[in-house]
Amino acid sequence: MTQPEALRSLLEAVANGKVSPEMALNSLKDLTYESVGDFAKIDHHRQLRTGFPEVIWGPGKTPDQIAQIMEVMRQRGSVVMATRISPDVYAALQKKVRELQYFELARICAITPSVIEPRFSGKITILSAGTADLPVAEEAAVTAELSGFLVQRLWDVGVAGIHRLLNNRHLIDSASVLIVVAGMEGALPSVVAGLADCPVIAVPTSIGYGASFSGLAPLLTMLNSCAAGIGVVNIDNGFGAAVLAGQILRTSEKLRLASQTS
């Protein structure tokens, strides 16, 4: 009932007399949030408010807590996702949650339909500067795909071998939104933004030698970029970058539909 289509169908059924107000009230009683034991309150209403469901942050939770939250959430949405899940936590969750998928490189566990087709127009292209940045880049890619967006990957195209990036200029040109993931000095987003005609979301990673200060150096580089059109998320936050990219595409779709009806 947290999906807009399901809520609309329920209201139409009440209006047509096919569902009683009492039955509708029972369906909506946990619309705002639902308690799970004494340790969590699931925000079912988030999908309706923002277009994206609540996602489980794995670190700090026990496998049993994550499993209980997942079982509650699976009753309300087609996709249930938990981030930053280590292999040992996944092994424990497998015994508790049926039909659980694990995206090991992205460190994401999810309950999903067998096939997820893109539901929104546009393409999110994700670039990683180096192979060591892939866990964060894959977190962004899997998050975007599970959220219903078309994703294109371009890995290991950092500035130390700039020809690798320039040889794939056509992939940059075809993107609707770009997510650029880089550690070390974090220069790649500036280069990409100088080539692209779409929004660029920069993701600093904690990859680098000591003076990179666990991602602070690339974060400052990206914040101080001389290229326009770059937005920066927090260190290692591939998930947040994917949600921001999705919001950009969803807003574009809303504007397109509004222009057609005006």
Side-chain angles (χ1 to χ4, degrees), residues 97-111:
V97 182
R98 67 187 190 280
E99 301 171 348
L100 188 64
Q101 296 184 60
Y102 187 46
F103 302 87
E104 184 173 4
L105 188 55
R107 298 166 293 178
I108 287 174
C109 276
I111 304 169

Side-chain angles (χ1 to χ4, degrees), residues 139-163:
E139 181 181 70
V142 172
T143 297
E145 288 174 335
L146 293 180
S147 300
F149 296 94
L150 178 63
V151 170
Q152 178 174 253
R153 293 166 169 83
L154 180 57
W155 296 160
D156 197 22
V157 289
V159 296
I162 197 68
H163 57 289

